[in-house]
Amino acid sequence: MAAILVVEDEVDLCNLIRTKLEAEGHSVLQAFDGQAALSLVEVHRPHLVILDWMLPGLDGLAVCRQLRQNYVMPIIMLTARTEEIDRVLGLEVGADDYIAKPFSIRELLARVRAVLRRVELDSRSSSPVSNRPNGESQFIAPSQDASPPHPGGAKELICAKLRTPTEDVSAGEQSSLPTTSAPLVRGALCIYELERVVTLDGVELDLTPKEYELLLLLASHPGRAFSREFLLQHLWGYDYDGFDRTVDTHMTRLRKKLGTVGEKIVTVWSVGYRFVV
Protein backbone atom coordinates (compact mmCIF):
# COMPACT_ATOMS: atom_id res chain seq x y z
CA MET A 1 0.00 0.00 0.00
CA ALA A 2 0.99 3.68 -0.10
CA ALA A 3 3.15 5.77 2.19
CA ILE A 4 1.11 8.85 3.08
CA LEU A 5 2.16 12.06 4.85
CA VAL A 6 -0.59 13.81 6.83
CA VAL A 7 0.16 17.48 7.58
CA GLU A 8 -2.40 18.85 10.06
CA ASP A 9 -1.83 21.02 13.14
CA GLU A 10 -5.01 19.84 14.88
CA VAL A 11 -3.53 16.86 16.71
CA ASP A 12 -6.81 15.00 17.30
CA LEU A 13 -7.83 15.28 13.64
CA CYS A 14 -4.35 14.31 12.47
CA ASN A 15 -4.40 11.21 14.68
CA LEU A 16 -7.88 10.27 13.49
CA ILE A 17 -6.84 10.48 9.83
CA ARG A 18 -3.76 8.43 10.59
CA THR A 19 -5.81 5.71 12.32
CA LYS A 20 -8.25 5.43 9.41
CA LEU A 21 -5.52 5.35 6.78
CA GLU A 22 -3.56 2.70 8.66
CA ALA A 23 -6.74 0.63 8.92
CA GLU A 24 -6.76 0.58 5.10
CA GLY A 25 -3.21 -0.73 5.05
CA HIS A 26 -1.27 2.47 4.39
CA SER A 27 1.85 3.54 6.27
CA VAL A 28 1.41 7.05 7.66
CA LEU A 29 3.80 9.85 8.58
CA GLN A 30 2.62 12.90 10.54
CA ALA A 31 3.70 16.54 10.55
CA PHE A 32 2.11 19.37 12.54
CA ASP A 33 3.70 22.34 10.77
CA GLY A 34 4.90 23.22 7.29
CA GLN A 35 8.65 23.06 7.85
CA ALA A 36 8.41 19.60 9.39
CA ALA A 37 6.38 18.48 6.37
CA LEU A 38 9.08 19.61 3.94
CA SER A 39 11.75 17.80 5.94
CA LEU A 40 9.76 14.55 6.04
CA VAL A 41 9.12 14.66 2.28
CA GLU A 42 12.81 15.14 1.58
CA VAL A 43 13.73 12.09 3.67
CA HIS A 44 10.84 9.68 3.05
CA ARG A 45 9.37 10.65 -0.37
CA PRO A 46 5.75 9.65 0.40
CA HIS A 47 3.38 8.56 -2.35
CA LEU A 48 0.71 11.07 -1.27
CA VAL A 49 0.53 14.20 0.90
CA ILE A 50 -2.63 15.25 2.73
CA LEU A 51 -2.00 18.90 3.52
CA ASP A 52 -3.91 21.36 5.71
CA TRP A 53 -3.93 24.95 4.42
CA MET A 54 -3.95 26.78 7.77
CA LEU A 55 -0.65 25.73 9.38
CA PRO A 56 1.47 27.63 11.88
CA GLY A 57 4.48 29.38 10.38
CA LEU A 58 4.77 28.14 6.82
CA ASP A 59 1.18 27.70 5.62
CA GLY A 60 -0.09 24.87 3.43
CA LEU A 61 -0.14 26.97 0.27
CA ALA A 62 3.57 27.78 0.64
CA VAL A 63 4.33 24.12 1.42
CA CYS A 64 2.43 23.00 -1.68
CA ARG A 65 4.28 25.51 -3.85
CA GLN A 66 7.68 24.37 -2.55
CA LEU A 67 6.83 20.69 -2.96
CA ARG A 68 5.81 21.24 -6.59
CA GLN A 69 9.24 22.70 -7.37
CA ASN A 70 10.85 19.30 -6.82
CA TYR A 71 8.22 16.55 -6.46
CA VAL A 72 5.22 15.24 -8.41
CA MET A 73 3.48 13.14 -5.77
CA PRO A 74 -0.25 13.98 -5.50
CA ILE A 75 -1.38 16.49 -2.85
CA ILE A 76 -4.84 16.65 -1.29
CA MET A 77 -5.52 20.02 0.35
CA LEU A 78 -7.66 20.27 3.49
CA THR A 79 -9.07 23.67 4.38
CA ALA A 80 -11.92 25.60 5.92
CA ARG A 81 -11.60 28.18 3.13
CA THR A 82 -14.44 27.44 0.75
CA GLU A 83 -14.50 30.46 -1.59
CA GLU A 84 -14.03 29.64 -5.27
CA ILE A 85 -10.92 31.84 -5.51
CA ASP A 86 -9.32 29.87 -2.66
CA ARG A 87 -10.03 26.55 -4.38
CA VAL A 88 -8.64 27.85 -7.67
CA LEU A 89 -5.54 29.21 -5.93
CA GLY A 90 -4.86 25.91 -4.20
CA LEU A 91 -5.20 23.97 -7.44
CA GLU A 92 -3.11 26.43 -9.44
CA VAL A 93 -0.13 26.13 -7.08
CA GLY A 94 -0.17 22.36 -7.45
CA ALA A 95 -2.81 20.62 -5.33
CA ASP A 96 -4.46 17.61 -6.99
CA ASP A 97 -7.65 17.65 -4.93
CA TYR A 98 -9.38 19.93 -2.45
CA ILE A 99 -11.58 18.98 0.51
CA ALA A 100 -13.43 21.64 2.50
CA LYS A 101 -13.75 21.36 6.27
CA PRO A 102 -15.75 19.99 7.89
CA PHE A 103 -15.55 16.76 5.90
CA SER A 104 -16.38 13.13 6.53
CA ILE A 105 -13.59 10.60 6.94
CA ARG A 106 -15.41 8.39 4.45
CA GLU A 107 -15.15 11.11 1.80
CA LEU A 108 -11.45 11.66 2.55
CA LEU A 109 -10.70 7.94 2.23
CA ALA A 110 -12.63 7.76 -1.04
CA ARG A 111 -10.62 10.65 -2.46
CA VAL A 112 -7.36 9.08 -1.30
CA ARG A 113 -8.28 5.88 -3.14
CA ALA A 114 -9.27 7.83 -6.25
CA VAL A 115 -6.02 9.83 -6.35
CA LEU A 116 -3.84 6.77 -5.81
CA ARG A 117 -5.79 4.88 -8.46
CA ARG A 118 -5.18 7.64 -11.01
CA VAL A 119 -1.46 7.66 -10.19
CA GLU A 120 -1.28 3.89 -10.65
CA LEU A 121 -3.12 4.04 -13.98
CA ASP A 122 -0.86 6.82 -15.23
CA SER A 123 2.25 4.88 -14.25
CA ARG A 124 0.98 1.75 -15.99
CA SER A 125 0.26 3.61 -19.20
CA SER A 126 3.69 5.29 -19.22
CA SER A 127 6.41 3.61 -21.26
CA PRO A 128 10.10 4.50 -20.92
CA VAL A 129 11.79 6.11 -23.89
CA SER A 130 14.25 3.23 -24.16
CA ASN A 131 11.45 0.76 -24.81
CA ARG A 132 10.30 2.33 -28.05
CA PRO A 133 9.94 -0.39 -30.70
CA ASN A 134 12.12 1.45 -33.25
CA GLY A 135 14.89 2.28 -30.79
CA GLU A 136 15.82 5.43 -28.95
CA SER A 137 15.51 8.65 -30.91
CA GLN A 138 18.64 10.65 -31.59
CA PHE A 139 18.98 14.36 -32.25
CA ILE A 140 21.76 15.16 -34.69
CA ALA A 141 23.21 18.69 -34.75
CA PRO A 142 24.10 20.12 -38.15
CA SER A 143 27.71 19.71 -39.26
CA GLN A 144 29.98 22.68 -39.93
CA ASP A 145 29.82 22.19 -43.71
CA ALA A 146 26.11 21.44 -43.94
CA SER A 147 24.58 23.24 -46.91
CA PRO A 148 22.29 24.75 -47.80
CA PRO A 149 21.15 26.10 -44.40
CA HIS A 150 17.70 25.06 -43.23
CA PRO A 151 15.22 27.89 -43.99
CA GLY A 152 13.58 27.54 -40.59
CA GLY A 153 16.79 28.16 -38.62
CA ALA A 154 18.81 25.97 -36.29
CA LYS A 155 15.91 24.97 -34.04
CA GLU A 156 13.81 23.65 -36.92
CA LEU A 157 16.89 21.95 -38.39
CA ILE A 158 17.36 20.03 -35.14
CA CYS A 159 13.72 19.00 -35.35
CA ALA A 160 14.14 17.91 -38.94
CA LYS A 161 17.05 15.64 -37.99
CA LEU A 162 15.06 13.36 -35.68
CA ARG A 163 15.61 9.77 -36.75
CA THR A 164 15.78 6.23 -35.41
CA PRO A 165 18.83 4.01 -35.88
CA THR A 166 18.52 1.24 -38.47
CA GLU A 167 22.05 -0.20 -38.47
CA ASP A 168 20.86 -3.69 -37.46
CA VAL A 169 18.01 -3.81 -39.99
CA SER A 170 18.39 -5.31 -43.44
CA ALA A 171 17.78 -3.21 -46.55
CA GLY A 172 14.51 -5.00 -47.28
CA GLU A 173 13.25 -4.46 -43.79
CA GLN A 174 14.27 -0.79 -43.87
CA SER A 175 12.08 -0.18 -46.91
CA SER A 176 9.01 -1.38 -45.02
CA LEU A 177 9.63 0.72 -41.91
CA PRO A 178 7.41 3.79 -41.44
CA THR A 179 9.20 7.09 -42.01
CA THR A 180 9.43 9.65 -39.24
CA SER A 181 6.59 12.13 -39.14
CA ALA A 182 6.94 15.81 -39.98
CA PRO A 183 6.94 17.62 -36.66
CA LEU A 184 4.31 20.08 -35.50
CA VAL A 185 6.50 23.11 -34.77
CA ARG A 186 5.57 25.86 -32.35
CA GLY A 187 8.71 27.96 -32.03
CA ALA A 188 11.29 25.97 -30.07
CA LEU A 189 8.72 23.21 -29.49
CA CYS A 190 8.55 20.21 -31.86
CA ILE A 191 5.90 17.48 -31.59
CA TYR A 192 6.31 14.21 -33.52
CA GLU A 193 2.95 12.44 -33.66
CA LEU A 194 4.23 9.17 -35.16
CA GLU A 195 6.96 8.77 -32.56
CA ARG A 196 5.00 10.47 -29.74
CA VAL A 197 8.11 12.53 -29.04
CA VAL A 198 8.26 16.15 -27.92
CA THR A 199 11.42 18.22 -28.04
CA LEU A 200 12.17 21.68 -26.69
CA ASP A 201 15.25 23.40 -28.14
CA GLY A 202 16.29 19.98 -29.46
CA VAL A 203 16.06 18.27 -26.07
CA GLU A 204 13.48 15.51 -25.62
CA LEU A 205 10.94 16.12 -22.85
CA ASP A 206 9.86 13.38 -20.44
CA LEU A 207 6.06 13.63 -20.69
CA THR A 208 3.46 11.19 -19.44
CA PRO A 209 0.96 9.91 -22.05
CA LYS A 210 -1.76 12.29 -20.85
CA GLU A 211 0.61 15.29 -20.78
CA TYR A 212 1.60 14.48 -24.36
CA GLU A 213 -2.02 14.18 -25.49
CA LEU A 214 -2.97 17.45 -23.80
CA LEU A 215 -0.09 19.29 -25.43
CA LEU A 216 -0.75 17.79 -28.87
CA LEU A 217 -4.44 18.71 -28.77
CA LEU A 218 -3.85 22.30 -27.63
CA ALA A 219 -0.86 22.97 -29.89
CA SER A 220 -2.71 21.52 -32.91
CA HIS A 221 -5.51 24.06 -32.43
CA PRO A 222 -3.85 27.35 -31.38
CA GLY A 223 -6.27 29.98 -30.18
CA ARG A 224 -9.13 27.56 -29.54
CA ALA A 225 -10.37 27.32 -25.95
CA PHE A 226 -11.03 23.78 -24.72
CA SER A 227 -13.29 23.26 -21.72
CA ARG A 228 -12.24 20.98 -18.89
CA GLU A 229 -15.30 18.84 -19.58
CA PHE A 230 -14.27 18.37 -23.22
CA LEU A 231 -10.71 17.46 -22.22
CA LEU A 232 -11.94 14.91 -19.67
CA GLN A 233 -14.24 13.25 -22.17
CA HIS A 234 -11.84 13.43 -25.10
CA LEU A 235 -8.60 12.37 -23.39
CA TRP A 236 -9.72 10.40 -20.32
CA GLY A 237 -12.97 9.03 -21.73
CA TYR A 238 -15.07 10.00 -18.73
CA ASP A 239 -16.54 12.94 -16.91
CA TYR A 240 -17.32 12.74 -13.25
CA ASP A 241 -18.59 15.71 -11.28
CA GLY A 242 -16.03 17.63 -9.30
CA PHE A 243 -12.96 16.04 -10.89
CA ASP A 244 -12.17 18.60 -13.58
CA ARG A 245 -9.22 19.30 -11.24
CA THR A 246 -7.66 16.23 -12.87
CA VAL A 247 -7.14 18.40 -15.95
CA ASP A 248 -5.80 21.29 -13.85
CA THR A 249 -3.26 19.04 -12.15
CA HIS A 250 -1.93 17.61 -15.41
CA MET A 251 -1.82 21.09 -16.93
CA THR A 252 0.21 22.44 -14.01
CA ARG A 253 2.78 19.68 -14.41
CA LEU A 254 2.88 20.09 -18.19
CA ARG A 255 3.50 23.84 -17.91
CA LYS A 256 6.36 23.21 -15.51
CA LYS A 257 8.03 20.76 -17.89
CA LEU A 258 7.65 23.21 -20.79
CA GLY A 259 9.41 26.02 -18.92
CA THR A 260 8.82 29.42 -20.53
CA VAL A 261 6.91 27.76 -23.39
CA GLY A 262 4.37 26.69 -20.76
CA GLU A 263 3.25 30.33 -20.64
CA LYS A 264 1.70 29.78 -24.08
CA ILE A 265 -0.90 27.54 -22.41
CA VAL A 266 -3.22 30.13 -20.91
CA THR A 267 -6.16 29.65 -18.59
CA VAL A 268 -9.53 30.76 -19.91
CA TRP A 269 -11.38 31.48 -16.69
CA SER A 270 -14.60 29.54 -16.16
CA VAL A 271 -13.88 27.59 -19.35
CA GLY A 272 -10.56 25.77 -19.58
CA TYR A 273 -7.34 26.26 -21.55
CA ARG A 274 -5.97 27.35 -24.91
CA PHE A 275 -2.58 27.47 -26.63
CA VAL A 276 -1.49 30.88 -27.93
CA VAL A 277 1.14 31.53 -30.60
Side-chain angles (χ1 to χ4, degrees):
M1 300 297 284
I4 301 175
L5 171 62
V6 180
V7 189
E8 169 62 66
D9 62 322
E10 296 181 33
V11 177
D12 290 341
L13 177 57
C14 190
N15 288 336
L16 175 61
I17 295 173
R18 174 178 182 171
T19 299
K20 297 298 184 180
L21 289 172
E22 288 179 337
E24 295 218 335
H26 302 296
S27 60
V28 181
L29 299 167
Q30 290 176 286
F32 302 98
D33 61 73
Q35 197 57 54
L38 294 175
S39 299
L40 284 172
V41 169
E42 184 176 358
V43 174
H44 297 282
R45 307 294 177 88
H47 301 109
L48 167 67
V49 176
I50 299 175
L51 178 63
D52 183 33
W53 186 317
M54 304 301 292
L55 295 171
L58 196 66
D59 68 17
L61 206 61
V63 172
C64 185
R65 186 179 293 111
Q66 291 193 37
L67 288 179
R68 276 293 169 257
Q69 292 176 2
N70 300 298
Y71 307 101
V72 296
M73 80 278 287
I75 299 171
I76 298 177
M77 189 80 78
L78 307 178
T79 180
R81 305 170 70 120
T82 57
E83 294 296 324
E84 180 182 16
I85 186 61
D86 293 322
R87 296 196 301 271
V88 170
L89 182 59
L91 295 170
E92 284 293 329
V93 300
D96 295 77
D97 204 347
Y98 189 107
I99 303 180
K101 294 181 177 180
F103 57 86
S104 71
I105 292 296
R106 180 180 298 177
E107 178 187 7
L108 174 60
L109 294 177
R111 293 190 182 230
V112 166
R113 287 192 291 269
V115 168
L116 293 176
R117 185 166 58 247
R118 290 200 298 273
V119 170
E120 182 181 3
L121 290 173
D122 278 349
S123 64
R124 286 181 180 179
S125 60
S126 300
S127 58
V129 174
S130 59
N131 287 340
R132 291 197 196 103
N134 291 329
E136 185 175 356
S137 298
Q138 296 182 353
F139 301 93
I140 310 302
S143 60
Q144 293 288 345
D145 58 351
S147 64
H150 195 280
K155 289 178 180 178
E156 292 194 12
L157 181 56
I158 291 173
C159 292
K161 291 290 186 176
L162 178 72
R163 63 180 178 82
T164 55
T166 58
E167 289 81 355
D168 297 329
V169 183
S170 67
E173 290 173 322
Q174 287 185 28
S175 63
S176 64
L177 289 174
T179 59
T180 57
S181 61
L184 172 65
V185 179
R186 295 286 180 259
L189 188 71
C190 297
I191 305 174
Y192 296 84
E193 293 188 53
L194 183 62
E195 299 86 357
R196 293 181 66 89
V197 169
V198 178
T199 67
L200 182 61
D201 287 320
V203 178
E204 186 171 339
L205 299 181
D206 182 18
L207 302 182
T208 67
K210 285 295 182 288
E211 290 167 351
Y212 168 82
E213 291 166 8
L214 277 171
L215 178 59
L216 177 62
L217 178 63
L218 293 172
S220 298
H221 302 84
R224 174 179 171 180
F226 289 92
S227 70
R228 292 173 175 84
E229 291 78 12
F230 176 88
L231 294 174
L232 275 172
Q233 294 175 8
H234 187 75
L235 301 182
W236 276 266
Y238 56 66
D239 66 328
Y240 39 79
D241 279 341
F243 282 88
D244 59 359
R245 59 180 61 90
T246 298
V247 176
D248 296 329
T249 298
H250 280 75
M251 203 67 74
T252 297
R253 295 174 183 171
L254 176 59
R255 282 168 165 167
K256 180 179 178 180
K257 292 180 180 181
L258 291 174
T260 56
V261 177
E263 297 173 3
K264 292 182 176 293
I265 301 177
V266 299
T267 302
V268 182
W269 296 110
S270 301
V271 180
Y273 298 92
R274 71 164 169 247
F275 190 95
V276 297
V277 294

